[in-house]
Amino acid sequence: RLLQSTNRLLYENTAAHAYVTLFFAEFDDNTRSLRYANCGHPSALLLRGNDQLDRLHSTAPVLGRAESWTCEIGECDLSSGDTLAVFTDGVTEAQDTAGQLFERDGCMAVLGGLATRPVSELVDGLIGAVLAFEAGGEPSDDLTVLALRRRV
């Protein structure tokens, strides 16, 4: 209901071409369950403690573009050592001087190589890799990365 209300408010109060992507999640420590809605946002990555890498794909369209809007809720378990990484499209759409995109494959390669490092190093490593990919220039979009690790 929260996301449906948010969609309605955006649809009624923004320009017709405006929209918002969103990754919304809640973690239940008792059941070790992560429930999430991915509304047109780049797929979050779940780095499993066993070196498996899962993508948390879109479960709903972007918010604010259509009056009629529905959302599915994704769910997965988080085990000890699992890391969730969420990032903006400024990360995946970063371009090098030849116009090549960093994309999800670039994110997966960097994060996979840093999976056992502290979360702060994982975040810094991904942002650093994107900046280096863009040849040290100014980022063309925002670079936001959030990473969370389940310890116990």
Side-chain angles (χ1 to χ4, degrees):
R1 289 189 311 218
L2 171 69
L3 295 175
Q4 286 177 331
S5 177
T6 302
N7 179 72
R8 187 181 68 254
L9 287 170
L10 287 167
Y11 180 78
E12 292 172 354
N13 295 291
T14 59
H17 65 280
Y19 64 91
V20 173
T21 69
L22 172 83
F23 185 87
F24 180 85
E26 69 176 354
F27 178 69
D28 185 327
D29 201 33
N30 294 321
T31 64
R32 299 178 177 155
S33 177
L34 179 78
R35 291 174 25 105
Y36 65 92
N38 184 342
C39 308
H41 204 69
S43 298
L45 297 176
L46 185 53
L47 307 154
R48 300 288 189 174
N50 63 3
D51 294 331
Q52 179 181 333
L53 188 64
D54 296 334
R55 287 199 235 176
L56 305 184
H57 296 288
S58 284
T59 61
V62 297
L63 296 162
R65 187 167 275 170
E67 185 175 12
S68 176
W69 184 88
T70 59
C71 180
E72 305 248 340
I73 301 297
E75 191 167 342
C76 60
D77 292 329
L78 292 184
S79 299
S80 180
D82 287 352
T83 303
L84 175 67
V86 183
F87 39 85
T88 58
D89 63 357
V91 173
T92 54
E93 294 176 1
Q95 291 185 32
D96 65 10
T97 55
Q100 297 294 314
L101 297 177
F102 192 71
E103 297 183 325
R104 283 185 193 93
D105 290 342
C107 293
M108 291 167 49
V110 171
L111 294 175
L114 296 170
T116 60
R117 304 298 305 154
V119 173
S120 61
E121 289 182 28
L122 189 139
V123 169
D124 291 344
L126 182 55
I127 291 173
V130 171
L131 291 173
F133 182 80
E134 290 187 319
E138 285 294 313
S140 57
D141 199 352
D142 67 294
L143 298 178
T144 303
V145 178
L146 171 70
L148 308 163
R149 178 169 295 141
R150 184 164 190 280
R151 293 186 183 184
V152 180

